[in-house]
Amino acid sequence: MAKPRRGESLTVTIDDLAFGGEGVGRVDGYVLFVRGGIPGDRLRVRVTDARARYGRAAIEAIEEPSRDRVQPPCAYFGRCGGCRLQHLAYPAQLAFKEKQVRDCLERLGGLGPFELRPILPAPEPYGYRNKMEFTVAGTSGLPVIGLHEADRYDVVLDIDRCLLQSDTMNALLAEVRREVRARGLSVYDQAAEQRLDAGASRGLLRFVTLREGRRTGEAMVNIVAAAPDVETLGPVAETLRARVPAAASVVLNVNAKQASVAVGQEEHLLVGREHITEFLGGVTFQVSANSFFQTNTVQAERLFGIVAEACGLTGSETVLDLYSGTGAISLLLARRCRWVYGIEVSPAAVADALRNGRANGIENCTFLPGEVRHVLPALLRDGVRAEVVVADPPRAGFHPKALSALAALAPERVVYVSCNPATLARDVGDLGRHGYRVEWVQPVDMFPQTPHIEAVARLRRAG
Ligand SMILES: C[S@@+](CC[C@H](N)C(=O)[O-])C[C@H]1O[C@@H](n2cnc3c(N)ncnc32)[C@H](O)[C@@H]1O
């Protein structure tokens, strides 16, 4: 294996895609990661980083394109950090995700034979997102509203139109930009915070988050600003609603802290209602600015259908929904079982779950706030038992103590919904040592054009 030098130009054939979607090729056995490369490409690349065991390289020219290479439809592709796989034909994206799930489970989880069901494609490869968060940057004279450049947190691209969101959301984005420019609204400047003593103004606007109930057509604009300036933003909201009648809710969230997050410490209703409504699986959800809600409504409904099938409920079971978020899975399963306990760390999400339960007349759910590793052992001590456990953890997967508590509960079936095949593999490997066998795994494509992978695994306790 001859290690190339940084700056060296060479030819490489890409033969795989890495976890994050980078192309992987080998030159005399030396592994090179190439952003934008896809399997089958022969590329002229320049080495940008040469470490002992692997390096990175940037494409200089495509000498021979892969058969799976397609023209990306978005003008920002390549620079925008939002989508990384638009240049890969959709069937090849699906094959890549399915392979990642198989590789992780076999290599990291050490699983024996199991059924890997074919990945469920998304019916809409574009326009599927019901939520987008745009950053307001630039200067007050020339504001920019858009998404961060790939790996450049300091650069925001002024996005006219994002293909992952609907026409309504794009219309709202255009109107927000027009209003911001026409009214000369100021842009929050973090650096000015430090100079406030010198009389610098820190500016107002920080983020604009758009949401849309895909089944109801109700849209929300959440303006995140550094101050509760309702006087300035109220008329903006009125104009947005007049120009895009779908805007059922325009709210202002105030983040006066330095932390660059699109979540406010206080919320002001500017126009309409403080929430929008969405239907999913026969349940109505009220979604407010800071509520978690699955970002692909259509695929979430199909994902949850697979979860329900995997649970195999007859009506008499007690179900635990670990990492229950705003309760979508609990509420969808409640009609098919005796009782559901949801456990969720975010108090705001628990409050949403309780409200959504009440609004749908669902009375057989209990939502418990706290970390699974603390609440689950407490439930066990209280004598709660469950035949079925559904778990939809964040990317980090289970905490070891949460996994031990699950093993102590010893449900007949575990249905694991994962957004990270690596931690799925680790956790089902651990559950295997506690007597659980993976029956089948079903990958679901929730996020076309991105390398994100979702999968449902059904496990059964042996004996
Ligand atoms: C992938 S989301 C689950 C979403 C949920 N199934 C839904 O559709 O609303 C993961 C959830 O786990 C929660 N969470 C993260 N760490 C947790 C922990 N240690 N204990 C309990 N909940 C946790 C997050 O707040 C988040 O709501």
Side-chain angles (χ1 to χ4, degrees):
M1 184 177 80
K3 180 162 104 63
R5 287 184 319 279
R6 190 159 171 259
E8 195 176 334
S9 180
L10 33 87
T11 294
V12 61
T13 298
I14 302 297
D15 51 30
D16 204 355
L17 280 179
F19 205 40
E22 278 176 308
V24 186
R26 282 166 187 79
V27 180
D28 295 333
Y30 182 81
V31 173
L32 274 179
F33 291 95
V34 184
R35 168 165 303 162
I38 56 179
D41 275 346
R42 197 176 72 231
L43 305 170
R44 190 88 206 142
V45 299
R46 182 167 299 277
V47 178
T48 54
D49 187 11
R51 302 182 181 207
R53 297 183 52 205
Y54 66 90
R56 294 191 186 283
I59 300 178
E60 288 187 321
I62 298 174
E63 289 184 351
E64 195 180 317
S66 159
R67 276 183 314 182
D68 293 322
R69 186 170 272 281
V70 293
Q71 186 60 35
C74 174
Y76 308 100
F77 180 74
R79 283 183 299 149
C80 178
C83 302
R84 289 188 180 214
L85 297 180
Q86 281 189 18
H87 59 321
L88 184 63
Y90 191 50
Q93 291 183 26
L94 294 169
F96 154 64
K97 293 184 183 188
E98 204 175 284
K99 179 172 175 294
Q100 288 285 338
V101 174
R102 182 192 302 280
D103 286 356
C104 282
L105 288 170
E106 286 177 359
R107 286 190 207 158
L108 303 176
L111 289 199
F114 68 97
E115 179 192 351
L116 179 63
R117 297 185 170 178
I119 187 167
L120 188 72
E124 308 162 298
Y126 286 95
Y128 59 82
R129 283 191 68 98
N130 59 28
K131 178 183 177 191
M132 287 295 294
E133 183 183 301
F134 298 101
T135 302
V136 185
T139 59
S140 298
L142 195 60
V144 164
I145 305 179
L147 299 169
H148 287 270
E149 219 174 82
D151 300 333
R152 292 285 307 270
Y153 204 73
D154 54 329
V155 183
V156 176
L157 296 169
D158 201 29
I159 305 276
D160 256 347
R161 190 160 172 260
C162 172
L163 298 184
L164 293 192
Q165 64 178 5
S166 69
D167 289 346
T168 301
M169 289 163 78
N170 276 313
L172 279 168
L173 178 62
E175 291 301 336
V176 169
R177 176 177 288 109
R178 219 171 61 95
E179 282 298 297
V180 169
R181 289 191 179 155
R183 292 173 192 263
L185 301 186
S186 61
V187 175
Y188 173 76
D189 175 6
Q190 202 170 31
E193 286 281 1
Q194 279 94 43
R195 307 192 309 267
L196 277 184
D197 289 351
S201 159
R202 66 179 182 173
L204 185 62
L205 301 176
R206 303 191 70 166
F207 298 93
V208 175
T209 303
L210 305 177
R211 298 187 99 148
E212 187 185 22
R214 301 305 297 273
R215 300 277 167 64
T216 59
E218 294 179 359
M220 169 183 278
V221 181
N222 175 20
I223 301 171
V224 182
D229 194 347
V230 176
E231 218 168 285
T232 302
L233 295 171
V236 173
E238 297 286 353
T239 312
L240 289 177
R241 186 148 150 106
R243 297 181 76 99
V244 185
S249 166
V250 185
V251 296
L252 159 63
N253 266 263
V254 181
N255 176 6
K257 297 187 175 171
Q258 287 200 29
S260 185
V261 288
V263 181
Q265 295 93 45
E266 61 184 66
E267 183 170 304
H268 299 263
L269 179 62
L270 297 175
V271 158
R273 283 190 265 108
E274 80 288 346
H275 68 265
I276 54 170
T277 309
E278 180 66 308
F279 301 127
L280 202 159
V283 176
T284 306
F285 291 90
Q286 291 184 3
V287 182
S288 34
N290 294 314
S291 301
F292 171 85
F293 192 74
Q294 294 283 341
T295 44
N296 182 342
T297 305
V298 173
Q299 265 322 62
E301 186 164 67
R302 299 169 90 200
L303 174 80
F304 294 155
I306 294 166
V307 170
E309 179 211 328
C311 287
L313 300 172
T314 60
S316 61
E317 296 85 355
T318 300
V319 177
L320 253 59
D321 179 12
L322 308 181
Y323 311 93
S324 50
T326 42
I329 293 177
S330 301
L331 299 175
L332 294 172
L333 296 180
R335 295 197 174 123
R336 306 174 190 227
C337 67
R338 192 190 66 79
W339 205 271
V340 185
Y341 291 91
I343 303 179
E344 162 61 43
V345 73
S346 153
V350 169
D352 280 340
L354 289 168
R355 193 183 52 172
N356 284 323
R358 275 195 301 275
N360 286 277
I362 296 171
E363 290 175 348
N364 56 339
C365 290
T366 305
F367 291 103
L368 301 162
E371 286 198 48
V372 171
R373 65 183 161 132
H374 301 309
V375 179
L376 185 51
L379 269 185
L380 264 168
R381 282 196 296 275
D382 290 347
V384 172
R385 295 292 175 267
E387 291 85 1
V388 180
V389 169
V390 179
D392 184 5
R395 288 184 62 75
F398 270 73
H399 186 281
K401 286 189 179 151
L403 198 115
S404 303
L406 173 58
L409 178 74
E412 275 166 37
R413 290 187 287 288
V414 175
V415 179
Y416 193 132
V417 185
S418 162
C419 56
N420 181 352
T423 51
L424 170 70
R426 180 199 67 200
D427 291 345
V428 299
D430 282 349
L431 285 169
R433 288 181 272 286
H434 290 284
Y436 284 88
R437 191 174 65 77
V438 174
E439 292 185 306
W440 51 257
V441 178
Q442 166 79 69
V444 178
D445 191 22
M446 302 286 287
F447 305 108
Q449 322 308 332
T450 79
H452 294 292
I453 303 173
E454 195 89 9
V456 180
R458 172 170 147 136
L459 293 86
R460 183 179 283 278
R461 187 162 48 87

